[in-house]
Amino acid sequence: EIAERIINPARLPEFDRPGFLSELNGIAEDSFLHNTLEGYLGALLIYHQLAEEILKLLIYDAQFLIQLRVYPMPIRFQQRRRQMFGSILEELESTLDFELKTEIIEYARGLNERRIRLVHGLTRESSAENIAEDVRWVRSCFELLFGCFSKAHQSFQQQFKAEQSRRDWGAEVS
């Protein structure tokens, strides 16, 4: 299966629904720009979910690269369902090192901690402006996370291309 995946660009790790995720990002931006409490909270939840998708894709990138590097030895990774953000973050922390991994983990952790504090302490906030300030911080953090993710994912894609030329994968499929 690894040989089939590496020769077929459509089977390389990528977002399952990139168009919808892009649409969600647009909704988060629009919600944020409404400058309302409900807009800020909606944006917060969407940024958090998008960050989760980013972390999952980086895990898939790392796992696929490991599978390529140990080939022809088989290695399988357990596909976990319904993981919480913290568990996904721990899984990413425990995989191989890659470009900007430390920064990605730092931004994701900060985003998650701020979301937890906001959502679970919503009634303890002193004003809507405090919430808006926190969500502005989350938005900035998400933008930094996305920038680092884009570079890391692109680096994985380049490594996959290098692996494609490392051997005759077509002969492996036959």
Side-chain angles (χ1 to χ4, degrees):
E1 181 200 10
I2 296 304
E4 291 173 1
R5 287 182 65 196
I6 192 67
I7 62 174
N8 183 351
R11 296 200 55 207
L12 295 177
E14 199 53 73
F15 288 122
D16 289 335
R17 303 161 315 283
F20 182 61
L21 296 179
S22 180
E23 184 180 336
L24 282 176
N25 188 55
I27 291 169
E29 286 298 307
D30 290 345
S31 297
F32 179 84
L33 294 173
H34 279 111
N35 294 318
T36 63
L37 182 59
E38 57 272 19
Y40 291 135
L41 293 175
L44 169 70
L45 296 176
I46 292 171
Y47 290 136
H48 187 263
Q49 289 306 119
L50 293 174
E52 186 173 302
E53 292 299 315
I54 285 170
L55 298 181
K56 287 179 186 176
L57 180 52
L58 289 171
I59 290 167
Y60 297 146
D61 280 339
Q63 290 173 344
F64 188 59
L65 186 60
I66 291 167
Q67 289 173 319
L68 289 171
R69 296 276 167 87
V70 302
Y71 187 86
M73 297 294 296
I75 184 169
R76 303 231 187 289
F77 298 96
Q78 182 179 9
Q79 299 299 315
R80 296 177 178 94
R81 300 274 183 218
R82 301 191 189 276
Q83 281 182 287
M84 301 286 282
F85 193 95
S87 300
I88 295 167
L89 194 53
E90 286 176 10
E91 188 173 349
L92 183 65
E93 286 178 299
S94 68
T95 194
L96 59 84
D97 286 340
F98 57 86
E99 183 180 354
L100 297 170
K101 179 181 175 181
T102 302
E103 292 84 350
I104 288 166
I105 290 169
E106 180 182 324
Y107 294 137
R109 181 173 283 117
L111 192 151
N112 191 47
E113 288 171 357
R114 191 69 59 108
R115 181 208 52 94
I116 289 169
R117 194 184 86 215
L118 268 168
V119 171
H120 295 285
L122 189 60
T123 58
R124 290 188 292 274
E125 288 293 331
S126 58
S127 71
E129 183 51 40
N130 288 353
I131 294 168
E133 187 177 312
D134 278 344
V135 176
R136 276 189 215 96
W137 185 90
V138 166
R139 180 182 184 220
S140 295
C141 189
F142 177 77
E143 289 171 354
L144 292 167
L145 171 65
F146 187 80
C148 289
F149 155 76
S150 295
K151 290 176 185 170
H153 183 60
Q154 182 179 24
S155 175
F156 276 116
Q157 295 292 320
Q158 290 168 347
Q159 291 178 70
F160 299 154
K161 285 184 180 160
E163 288 297 319
Q164 284 173 331
S165 61
R166 187 173 64 91
R167 69 169 15 142
D168 181 10
W169 291 98
E172 301 286 336
V173 173
S174 303

